[in-house]
Amino acid sequence: MNGEKHHLKLEASLFLQIKRGGRQLRLRKADCSFHLDDRLKIWNYCFDQETYLSEKPIFAKVTYKLNGGNFGIEEEDCLIGIQVLKTKTFISSHTPPFQHSSIPTLQHLNTRL
């Protein structure tokens, strides 16, 4: 398995679209240096309350990337395509964020693996 691993937080409506099989493209700030085959752990998150809404993330991989400055995409943005993975292929030696039904700290999830 190649690629980096990223944790992403999405608001509930976007999270549910991905979970239901839609929303395969995502416009993002190009701040995470995504590459093809990078693994994503996508969390259902409420930004207003700064809390995680689910203990079960969506596992995905990056299948497409278009850098900003092309086709009307702003220079500081990028468009990524994702494929939701059926199995848990986000292998890490780190402790999972959720332990004993506890809510993870923001510092823990914002750390790139």
Side-chain angles (χ1 to χ4, degrees):
M1 176 184 351
N2 296 328
E4 294 183 43
K5 296 163 183 71
H6 306 273
H7 287 276
L8 302 179
K9 296 179 278 191
L10 292 182
E11 64 181 44
S13 63
L14 298 176
F15 180 88
L16 292 174
Q17 287 177 19
I18 291 173
K19 188 173 183 175
R20 292 179 182 141
R23 188 105 174 145
Q24 302 302 315
L25 294 175
R26 175 101 173 110
L27 185 63
R28 293 194 45 92
K29 292 289 179 199
D31 58 354
C32 291
S33 64
F34 293 106
H35 301 285
L36 293 180
D37 290 326
D38 280 1
R39 296 303 195 241
L40 309 175
K41 201 176 217 182
I42 304 169
W43 296 95
N44 191 359
Y45 188 77
C46 177
F47 289 92
D48 292 338
Q49 298 175 3
E50 294 186 0
T51 187
Y52 293 87
L53 303 175
S54 173
E55 292 187 11
K56 293 184 179 183
I58 296 170
F59 297 94
K61 73 174 181 175
V62 175
T63 58
Y64 176 81
K65 181 181 177 190
L66 178 63
N67 291 317
N70 297 295
F71 303 105
I73 298 173
E74 297 292 329
E75 188 72 35
E76 66 274 2
D77 294 335
C78 69
L79 182 69
I80 61 169
I82 64 168
Q83 176 188 358
V84 174
L85 302 171
K86 300 288 184 196
T87 60
K88 185 176 171 180
T89 58
F90 193 90
I91 298 171
S92 169
S93 60
H94 290 77
T95 305
F98 289 97
Q99 296 179 4
H100 311 292
S101 299
S102 64
I103 300 297
T105 64
L106 293 176
Q107 179 183 6
H108 183 87
L109 285 178
N110 288 331
T111 303
R112 180 178 285 169
L113 300 177

